[in-house]
Amino acid sequence: MKPEMNRESVALALLPKSNQISATSSISAAVFNVSTCMIGAGIMSVPATLKVLGIVPGFLVILIMAFLMEVTVEFLLRYTNYSGDANTYGGVMAESFGKFGSFALQICVMISNLGALIIYLIIIGDVLTGNESEGVLHLGILQQCFGFHWWNSRAYSLLFVVIFVMLPLLLLPRVESLGHASAVSILLAVVFVVISSGMAIYALIEGQTQQLSLVPDFSDGLLSVFNLFTTIPVLATAFACHVTIHPVRAELEKQSDMSTAVRISLVLSVVIYLAVGFVGYLLFGDSIMADMLVNFDQTSNLPGGLMINAIVRLSYAIHLMLVFPVIFYTLRANMDEMIFPRKSLLANDTTRFMSLTCVLLAFIYVVAIALPNIWYFFQFMGSTTVACIAFVFPGAIVLRDVHGISTRKDRVMAIMVVILAVVTSVIAISTNLYSLFGNSASEN
C-alpha cells in the first residue's frame, strides 16, 4: 500500500471508490481480472464435485451456477451509482441497509479471505506431505523424495513455508512489490492446466482412463441425495467474484461495459472448470480427492511420469504461495481498520503491523494443520459467507429496492436466489455435521 493513502482508502481496500482510480482499463483487462478472481483454488475441487454429481448433472449444475452468478452481479451493477453515491458493494449495502449492511459485508469478506488463505495453506501441505482419506494414503513430494521423517511431516513442512516463504513476502510494506510475483503465479496456473490436460489426452490415447459416472450414485439412499447439495457451496465459492466487480468496474473507461466483461469471464471460467473437472475425473475416476493435486502422487505412464507429476503439483503450489500474500494484504488492512479504526496508517506503525501479521499468519497455520481437508472448508465458506456475498445480499438489495427500480421478474428471481442459497446451505451444513459426528458416533 502506498504510504500516502488515507484511512478511508485503507478501509475500502477491497472496495475502492471509482474516483480514486484512473479509468483507463479496457474490457479485455476487466475480463482478465475477473477471471483471475474466479479461477483460484476452487479449480482443485471441481473434479470431486463431478464424482458426487456425475458428469451430466455436474456439467448442468456448473452452468446453472454461472447463470445465477451473472444474475446477482447484474443486480449489484443496477443499484450501483443509481443515486450517484453508492459506487462500491459496501456503498450499495449501506444505501439499502445502513451501516449494519456495510458492516455485515465487511465481516463476510474478511471471513471469506481468511478461509481462502487457510485453503491455500492446506493445498500446499497436500503437495509437500500428502494426505490420507478413507484409509488411502497419498504421498507428498517430500515423502516420495526423502521418505518419512519428523522434519518433513505436515506441521514442520508448513511451518517452514510460513516462516521462510510467506512471512518475508508479507512483511513487504507495499502490495505493489508483489506485482512480478503475481505475474509468475498466473503463468504457473497456466502450466498446471496445460500439463494436466496433456496427461489426460495421453491417457485417453493409451486407453488408460478411468470409468466415469454419468449420473449420481444413490446407493446410500437419502444420504446420497443430501450429499448432492454439498457440491453447491463448493461451486459457489469457486465462481464468486462479487467483491472484485466494483474495483474492476471503476477502472473501465466505459463502466457500462462491466456486464459484458462479467459474462465473458463467466464463459471462460465455465470452459476451464468443465475442462479441468473432466480431465481430473478422467485421470483418477472415483479415487479423485477433494484436492486433485493429492492424486498426482501416482506414477504416470508418460515418459518421465514421476517428474511430470511433481512439476504439476509444484507449479500450482508455488502459484498459491505467490497469490497468498496479495489476499493477506487485503485481509490485514480490513482487519486493522475494524480493530483499530482511529489508529494511524498500518504501514507506518511497525509494532502493529508486525503483531497483526504474525497473529493472523499463526491462526491460519494452526487451522490448516488442524483441519487438513479443503472440501469441508469450501463447503463452510460456500454455505455461509460466500452464500451471503454472492446470493443473499444481492437478492436482499433487490427486495429492499430503495430506489423503486426492481421489476416483478427481478423480485421473483431474487426470492428464488435467496431461498436456494439458504436451503442449500442448511442442507449442506447438516449433511456435513452428520457425516462428521454421526459416523463417529456409529463407529464408537
Side-chain angles (χ1 to χ4, degrees):
M1 276 169 274
K2 297 181 180 179
E4 67 269 22
M5 289 174 69
N6 57 30
R7 293 298 296 173
E8 183 181 31
S9 60
V10 174
L12 300 177
L14 281 176
L15 312 166
K17 291 185 177 181
S18 58
N19 59 13
Q20 293 172 318
I21 300 173
S22 177
T24 58
S25 180
S26 62
I27 292 183
S28 59
V31 169
F32 176 78
N33 288 328
V34 175
S35 299
T36 301
C37 173
M38 291 183 192
I39 305 167
I43 200 172
M44 293 299 124
S45 285
V46 173
T49 65
L50 294 185
K51 181 182 77 170
V52 176
L53 292 169
I55 293 293
V56 176
F59 282 8
L60 182 61
V61 171
I62 289 175
L63 293 174
I64 293 174
M65 191 60 59
F67 168 73
L68 294 178
M69 290 294 172
E70 194 274 337
V71 168
T72 52
V73 167
E74 194 64 32
F75 285 164
L76 287 180
L77 291 176
R78 193 181 311 169
Y79 280 81
T80 300
N81 268 343
Y82 187 84
S83 64
D85 298 324
N87 55 5
T88 68
Y89 196 163
V92 175
M93 284 294 291
E95 204 170 54
S96 297
F97 301 100
K99 291 183 179 180
F100 173 78
S102 59
F103 179 77
L105 175 66
Q106 188 179 25
I107 291 292
C108 288
V109 169
M110 286 193 294
I111 293 175
S112 295
N113 281 359
L114 189 62
L117 295 176
I118 293 170
I119 288 172
Y120 286 6
L121 209 55
I122 290 174
I123 294 176
I124 294 169
D126 288 344
V127 169
L128 297 178
T129 64
N131 199 317
E132 183 175 1
S133 177
E134 299 178 356
V136 179
L137 175 64
H138 291 270
L139 297 179
I141 291 177
L142 293 178
Q143 280 81 14
Q144 287 182 320
C145 294
F146 305 106
F148 290 88
H149 303 281
W150 66 267
W151 53 267
N152 64 8
S153 65
R154 192 180 195 91
Y156 287 103
S157 299
L158 281 182
L159 184 62
F160 180 89
V161 170
V162 164
I163 294 176
F164 295 103
V165 179
M166 301 299 190
L167 188 58
L169 293 174
L170 298 177
L171 293 180
L172 294 173
R174 297 188 181 188
V175 71
E176 291 92 334
S177 305
L178 299 170
H180 295 298
S182 297
V184 173
S185 72
I186 294 171
L187 176 63
L188 291 172
V190 173
V191 169
F192 163 77
V193 173
V194 170
I195 295 179
S196 57
S197 299
M199 293 174 67
I201 293 173
Y202 180 84
L204 193 61
I205 293 173
E206 295 294 316
Q208 298 170 348
T209 54
Q210 301 294 314
Q211 185 176 359
L212 307 182
S213 299
L214 296 180
V215 295
D217 178 11
F218 294 108
S219 58
D220 289 336
L222 192 59
L223 182 60
S224 298
V225 177
F226 288 149
N227 279 332
L228 301 181
F229 288 88
T230 64
T231 63
I232 305 299
V234 176
L235 293 175
T237 305
F239 274 110
C241 61
H242 297 64
V243 174
T244 311
I245 296 303
H246 291 88
V248 173
R249 175 183 175 275
E251 297 179 353
L252 279 172
E253 281 189 63
K254 190 177 178 183
Q255 295 186 350
S256 58
D257 289 335
M258 191 62 206
S259 295
T260 302
V262 170
R263 293 188 183 103
I264 296 174
S265 299
L266 282 168
V267 171
L268 291 175
S269 299
V270 165
V271 170
I272 291 175
Y273 278 139
L274 292 177
V276 172
F278 183 74
V279 163
Y281 196 18
L282 194 65
L283 283 173
F284 306 113
D286 288 337
S287 66
I288 193 75
M289 300 283 286
D291 174 10
M292 185 174 70
L293 287 181
V294 173
N295 290 95
F296 282 95
D297 70 319
Q298 303 173 14
T299 303
S300 169
N301 291 321
L302 283 167
L306 188 61
M307 179 64 70
I308 291 175
N309 285 350
I311 292 173
V312 169
R313 288 190 285 175
L314 281 175
S315 65
Y316 210 83
I318 297 174
H319 160 76
L320 295 180
M321 290 181 193
L322 297 177
V323 173
F324 187 100
V326 178
I327 299 179
F328 191 95
Y329 267 75
T330 301
L331 171 66
R332 181 173 53 196
N334 282 267
M335 188 72 74
D336 176 68
E337 174 63 21
M338 178 168 292
I339 300 174
F340 307 107
R342 301 181 184 278
K343 294 287 187 178
S344 60
L345 187 65
L346 179 61
N348 295 336
D349 189 331
T350 303
T351 301
R352 197 167 90 250
F353 181 88
M354 290 289 295
S355 300
L356 194 54
T357 299
C358 291
V359 169
L360 285 174
L361 194 56
F363 177 79
I364 293 168
Y365 166 77
V366 170
V367 176
I369 295 297
L371 298 172
N373 191 314
I374 65 172
W375 186 258
Y376 292 113
F377 251 101
F378 271 124
Q379 290 182 58
F380 168 75
M381 291 204 312
S383 301
T384 54
T385 56
V386 172
C388 290
I389 294 170
F391 300 121
V392 176
F393 290 166
I397 288 169
V398 170
L399 295 175
R400 181 78 168 179
D401 195 21
V402 291
H403 301 303
I405 59 175
S406 67
T407 64
R408 181 178 179 181
K409 179 181 177 181
D410 293 334
R411 290 190 291 273
V412 170
M413 183 60 70
I415 292 172
M416 290 176 59
V417 167
V418 172
I419 291 176
L420 176 65
V422 172
V423 171
T424 301
S425 297
V426 170
I427 294 177
I429 292 173
S430 301
T431 303
N432 284 331
L433 290 176
Y434 176 80
S435 299
L436 285 173
F437 300 108
N439 292 341
S440 300
S442 61
E443 291 174 2
N444 294 333

